[in-house]
């Protein structure tokens, strides 16, 4: 159930967030890149986080870890979003993003 609700939430964020920002993507150069990386960094960071934590810990613990380290995982997602825009690197970006998420989770204080 957690996986399904997480997937639906990320789908809604991706579709509606990018639709809302679409006019800005076209008409505000510079700002569009920052907003693209923030929105898609959140979506990818949360998606990678969920993919790793929903198999390693219970939902309550995952929520607490997300709240405590949200910025780190969003930056990780933004880096993956950037890699997805580079031809050639876009093929390995999901692997790099997931591997980085595993390392970030294992390096946090109190990780088992």
């Amino acid at each position: 159930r957690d996986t399904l609700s997480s997937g639906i939430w990320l789908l809604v964020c991706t579709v509606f967030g990018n639709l809302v920002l679409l006019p800005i993507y076209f008409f505000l150069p510079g700002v569009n890149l920052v907003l693209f990386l923030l929105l898609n960094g959140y979506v990818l960071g949360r998606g990678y986080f969920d993919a790793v934590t929903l198999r390693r810990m219970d939902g309550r613990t995952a929520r607490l870890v997300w709240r405590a380290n949200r910025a780190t995982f969003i930056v990780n997602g933004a880096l993956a979003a950037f890699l997805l825009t580079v031809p050639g690197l876009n093929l390995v970006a999901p692997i790099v993003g997931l591997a980085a998420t595993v390392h970030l989770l294992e390096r946090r204080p109190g990780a088992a």
Side-chain angles (χ1 to χ4, degrees):
R1 182 178 158 179
D2 285 337
T3 305
L4 180 62
S5 62
S6 171
I8 291 170
W9 170 248
L10 291 176
L11 174 69
V12 168
C13 283
T14 303
V15 172
F16 290 114
N18 280 300
L19 283 175
V20 167
L21 293 177
L22 194 60
I24 295 172
Y25 290 162
F26 283 122
F27 299 114
L28 291 176
V31 175
N32 58 1
L33 179 61
V34 172
L35 291 176
F36 172 83
L37 290 176
L38 283 174
L39 174 65
N40 292 295
Y42 169 79
V43 169
L44 288 172
R46 185 63 197 222
Y48 293 152
F49 177 83
D50 286 346
V52 174
T53 59
L54 291 177
R55 288 158 183 81
R56 292 174 173 249
M57 57 186 72
D58 62 283
R60 182 180 181 279
T61 305
R63 283 189 296 277
L64 292 173
V65 170
W66 172 257
R67 285 187 192 132
N69 302 290
R70 172 182 338 184
T72 304
F73 293 111
I74 291 173
V75 168
N76 180 48
L79 291 172
F82 176 74
L83 289 177
L84 286 167
T85 65
V86 179
L89 290 179
N90 62 349
L91 299 173
V92 296
I95 298 165
V96 171
L98 277 170
T101 302
V102 170
H103 287 288
L104 289 170
L105 280 169
E106 294 297 324
R107 284 187 17 201
R108 70 184 169 77

